[in-house]
Amino acid sequence: MERATMVRPSSTFVKINKKKLWVSLAIAVLSLCFVPINVSAAVRRQTPQQHHLSRKPSPKLRFGRNGEFKILQVADMHYADGKTTPCEDVLPSQVDGCSDLNTTAFIHRMIEAEKPNFIVFTGDNIYGFDSKDSAKSMDAAFAPAIAARIPWAAVLGNHDQEGTLSREGVMKHIVGLNHTLSQLNPSELHVIDGFGNYNLEVGGVEGSGFVNKSILNLYFLDSGDYSTVPAIPGYGWIKPSQQLWFQLTSAKLRRAYMSPPNAQKSSAPGLVYFHIPLPEVASFDSTNFTGVRQEDIGSASVNSGFFTSLVEAGDVKAAFTGHDHVNDFCGQLTGIQLCYGGGFGYHAYGKAGWPRRARVVVASLEKTEEGGWGTVKSIKTWKRLDDKHLTAIDGEVLWSKKHTGTRRKKHINGSTA
């Protein structure tokens, strides 16, 4: 807010308006009392501000001239203090010299191999309990994306806030880093649960008829950390206020997509990212998913109904989570793919001999009758292992305009699925 310019009034004006002035001041003071409580929550633990001063503006997301938009998902880095932080659950031959720096090296390898247009970090980005300085840990964890000048975004997990910054403080620090498109919360809402609820729009190819239209919508939500209700044990969940925001945002984007110019007949496809998997993920077994399930589903002990909200909205084609490090599967339920990223970080628990991994998603455009680029025709995914060859596995079509859920359970040569 800009400071108002002070003008010295005449004494006559003051006498006439003195009563009105006191009334106005009283109203102003009372209005401050109704500012949402979460605005002042960060006072408990201060967030470093130097990144906000040097942050460079980030470009608008849009499809490349090859008609593709590629997303790299990085789940559960569990970054702490770098070289001094040991690896967990690796082979005996890998123990010596293994640290957070292995996680950093893996990100660099993935960026070089896949050349993503966008990177999403889906929570437990740092392991706050083992971090001496949460801000420094985040700076190091996200450094490869920042150094590569690739637009990126992050959501929070259940461990990010366990260090020297509050949950709000962690998200504020992330928002201040270079090249990030992360947001603290929707600017149009004063009350919403959690931190890091926002959406991003991906525009069409430069020079195409869809250059100023979002043809792929990305949603990000804070799935919480742990239940704050004494009678409900376990992990957190996506609350009604967040679901309402998602529903309103989805409806607004649908209206825009189906309006001129280039009005479309249905919604643009959407992808959603958060940390803790939904309870519905537990309904899958080896007959109806691609990948592996090696541990129990770590969802909340209550079902808040967010999956129903996704189905009702009708635009989301896939949801991507982390949290359960040795699960890496995708399964389709009621037309929506529910996917794990697979454990990425070396300081996170894993399974010795089972390589760390990352998920890649590519949305591809169709050609128009005039030969230009149109709207999204398909969304594909695969995973890459942190082995000698960055082996690509489990390629599948998550969604297409004609078919959904087409699986190809085989290894992939190269970076296409």
Side-chain angles (χ1 to χ4, degrees), residues 58-73:
S58 299
K60 175 181 172 61
L61 295 177
R62 67 173 62 260
F63 279 75
R65 294 192 178 277
N66 63 349
E68 292 185 346
F69 187 79
K70 182 183 289 187
I71 303 171
L72 169 63
Q73 180 191 359

Side-chain angles (χ1 to χ4, degrees), residues 216 269 271 317 361-363 376 378-381 396-399:
L216 178 67
L271 306 176
K317 309 307 177 187
V361 172
V362 172
V376 179
S378 67
I379 300 172
K380 302 176 182 179
T381 188
E396 60 178 312
V397 178
L398 295 178
W399 173 84

Side-chain angles (χ1 to χ4, degrees), residues 334-390:
T334 322
I336 297 176
Q337 296 278 355
L338 303 177
C339 298
Y340 281 104
F344 190 101
Y346 278 85
H347 186 52
Y349 77 81
K351 183 178 180 181
W354 193 72
R356 265 60 176 186
R357 57 203 57 211
R359 182 171 293 281
V360 179
V361 172
V362 172
S364 301
L365 302 180
E366 62 185 359
K367 282 283 190 176
T368 64
E369 293 180 357
E370 295 77 20
W373 291 113
T375 58
V376 179
K377 70 174 181 180
S378 67
I379 300 172
K380 302 176 182 179
T381 188
W382 60 90
K383 299 184 292 280
R384 281 195 182 271
L385 311 181
D386 192 19
D387 58 16
K388 183 178 180 180
H389 301 289
L390 274 181

Side-chain angles (χ1 to χ4, degrees), residues 77-80 124-128 131 134-135 137-138 141 159-160 170:
M77 288 189 292
H78 279 231
Y79 210 95
D124 283 0
N125 308 301
I126 64 171
Y127 191 64
S131 168
S134 293
S137 294
M138 283 187 283
H159 291 304
D160 293 288
V170 168

